[in-house]
Amino acid sequence: MDSSSGIELEKAGVALHGTTDVERTEAPVSFKAYLACAWAGWGGILFGYDSGYINGVTGAKVFVEAIEGVGKTALTASHNSLITSILSAGTFFGCLMAGDLADYFGRRPTIIAGCLVYMVGVAIQTAAEGSHALALLVAGRFIAGIGAGYVSAIVILYMGEIAPKRFRGMIISAYQFCLTFGIMLAAVVNNFTSSRGDNWSYRIPIVVQFCWGLILGGGLLVLPDSPRFFVKKGKIDEAIQALARVRGQDPSSDYIQLEIAEIVANNEYERKMIPQTSYFGSWVACFTGSWFKANSNIRRTFLGTSAQACQQFTGINFVFYFSTPFLKSTGAIKNPFIMSLIFTLVNVFSTPISFWTVERFGRRPLLIWGAVGMIVSEFIVGAIGVTIGFNKTHLNAAGASIANNIPAVNAQIAFICFYIFSFASTWGPVVVGEAFPLPIRSRGVALSVASNWFWNTVRSIFLFTPYLVDQDEGYLRSSVFFLWGGMCFICLAYAYFLVPETKNLTLEQVDRMLEEVVPRKSAGWKPSTTFAAEMAHKEVRLDSEKASV
């Protein structure tokens, strides 16, 4: 090690070697380590597949009759809303519990436990038939949601803590890609089972979910826990071993020593800024500080929770949860399952674009221009629909509703695809775990992801779909896209005024950046010192003061 930049520290009886060089605070990463980081992204498939499969089966004749009774052709708005949203309700509570579990047992064990709970819920859903079909389906989806909550909150936390700074955005985007890939797989499975005349037409899509829990949970059994978790628990030796495995380096290498010293020094700094008082005090800490300071805990918590809320209110889940019955109602689409699959393919192939753009251009530009793209496309869809598109229909000889202008409907579908592209390549891979300091990171991420599921539930049950689009309810049809477009104006303002740029910064450097600049100027911020250097300087000063007494 270059002695000019070497700093000697000690923590929990372990000698650490820090640095003053801001470019040496993170170890190089091997290809094997990248694969380990990306594996956790498989958790996204749990939620993507669920949103895709439930969208398909709610329009299937056998499923409708299992829930509503023989001869019924569609779910009631209340049953459709309940079945669709109950998983989100379970996930909301699972997220809140996951923060505590991840701090006590570790990130990796919490995710594995979530996979097990998720599979129990899937088993209960599979048993849904007869007079108890609705009750079993709702109970199973709620329990599966709790397990999915563990996974959704802690996978993002885990990936954020182990991913290297230069590729953290890309790796977390891989989580979103797995989510979109899950939607696509569900659309394929639904398409192949929709023609069956028995209850396996909806049971097979449900059973397939076992695979995702087994793959994610089984893979994590051989991966290390987060080194930052061990630092928080004061287990420095275990943190060094975990970091060495994550980075693909020898535990004694200078690279590992420098990075672990920076993590330890940052944790010491943050613990002084955020005293750990009690269990409830640690939750209260997430809401302390001033609204007018970008680095205050309450601003960080608001940043994370509002990011997830904005993501929900773009209206993207309307397309994937309710597009099948919505498109069927227009009479312009011969096979709504195929059209749903096309939307899904656009989503899947648009998401990988963010792998490159999120690291090339940064988080802020993607969110700003993504919001602009969604606003334009959604207002065009709404404008065409209320004039010559979806909303203008007539009854054919069989009494079915048919669109008057098929080319106009096709134009709407094209702009819906552009809207999906704008979301998937920008707002889809929203990164929420980068802004929180280590003492409150697990709870902050849990609150942020819980916000996603809370607003997903509220949107599905109380505010919007399906009540605004069902024929016997609000029946807005294309006009609902004006609502989503209006919401995207809020997303645009949020991204411009509140989102900081975290590209190419370690999690520890993000802490310092939030202290020194406002979000709008964050793209130009560069680190000038390390936490290890400051910690060593304070120790030297204290030793000098003691010697002079």
Side-chain angles (χ1 to χ4, degrees), residues 1 53 90 134 150 179 211 288 446 468 484 533 536-537:
M1 183 186 298
Y53 110 77
L134 179 62
Y150 291 3
L179 190 152
C211 299
T288 56
L468 293 184
W484 306 134
H537 177 72

Side-chain angles (χ1 to χ4, degrees), residues 92 95-96 99 153 283 286-287 301 304-305 308 436 440-452:
F92 169 75
C95 286
L96 295 180
W283 279 102
C286 294
F287 303 95
T301 300
T305 54
Q308 297 293 296
F436 294 102
I440 64 167
R441 185 171 296 146
S442 65
R443 288 176 170 83
V445 173
L447 286 168
S448 299
V449 181
S451 170
N452 179 297

Side-chain angles (χ1 to χ4, degrees), residues 41-199:
W42 188 261
I45 205 169
L46 273 68
F47 324 109
Y49 184 87
D50 179 84
S51 64
Y53 110 77
I54 202 64
N55 171 44
V57 300
T58 50
K61 181 177 182 295
V62 176
F63 181 81
V64 170
E65 291 188 343
I67 301 299
E68 303 294 348
V70 177
K72 300 295 184 179
T73 59
L75 296 176
T76 63
S78 59
H79 284 167
N80 193 2
S81 176
L82 175 63
I83 292 169
T84 302
S85 62
I86 193 64
L87 182 128
S88 299
T91 308
F92 169 75
F93 292 108
C95 286
L96 295 180
M97 291 186 283
D100 289 334
L101 295 175
D103 267 354
Y104 189 81
F105 296 105
R107 282 51 164 154
R108 186 177 65 104
T110 302
I111 299 172
I112 294 172
C115 291
L116 295 174
V117 175
Y118 175 80
M119 289 188 287
V120 169
V122 170
I124 296 174
Q125 291 178 69
T126 306
E129 67 173 336
S131 59
H132 300 295
L134 179 62
L136 288 172
L137 190 70
V138 170
R141 286 179 61 75
F142 183 78
I143 293 172
I146 293 176
Y150 291 3
V151 175
S152 64
I154 309 306
V155 156
I156 293 175
L157 171 64
Y158 180 71
M159 293 175 71
E161 290 190 336
I162 68 174
K165 65 179 182 180
R166 296 189 185 279
F167 298 96
R168 187 172 60 244
M170 181 188 74
I171 288 174
I172 295 178
S173 293
Y175 172 88
Q176 179 67 17
F177 174 73
C178 287
L179 190 152
T180 62
F181 186 68
I183 296 174
M184 183 188 72
L185 286 178
V188 172
V189 173
N190 282 337
N191 191 53
F192 277 107
T193 62
S194 61
S195 60
R196 293 181 64 99
D198 56 14
N199 57 26

Side-chain angles (χ1 to χ4, degrees), residues 316-384:
I316 193 65
N317 279 337
F318 168 76
V319 175
F320 297 116
Y321 277 117
F322 299 103
S323 64
T324 297
F326 178 76
L327 291 173
K328 187 185 292 184
S329 70
T330 68
I333 309 299
K334 293 181 179 179
N335 191 332
F337 287 102
I338 295 297
M339 185 52 59
S340 178
L341 179 59
I342 291 173
F343 289 161
T344 299
L345 289 172
V346 173
N347 192 28
V348 170
F349 289 109
S350 299
T351 302
I353 296 173
S354 66
F355 291 6
W356 178 73
T357 55
V358 74
E359 299 298 351
R360 174 64 178 83
F361 301 108
R363 281 64 161 162
R364 276 178 59 84
L366 257 65
L367 295 180
I368 290 171
W369 289 108
V372 171
M374 288 188 290
I375 290 169
V376 171
S377 54
E378 288 185 293
F379 272 92
I380 290 176
V381 171
I384 295 175

Side-chain angles (χ1 to χ4, degrees), residues 39 108 112 115 119 212-223:
W39 185 268
R108 186 177 65 104
I112 294 172
C115 291
M119 289 188 287
W212 319 140
L214 287 172
I215 292 172
L216 177 61
L220 283 170
L221 289 173
V222 299
L223 294 179

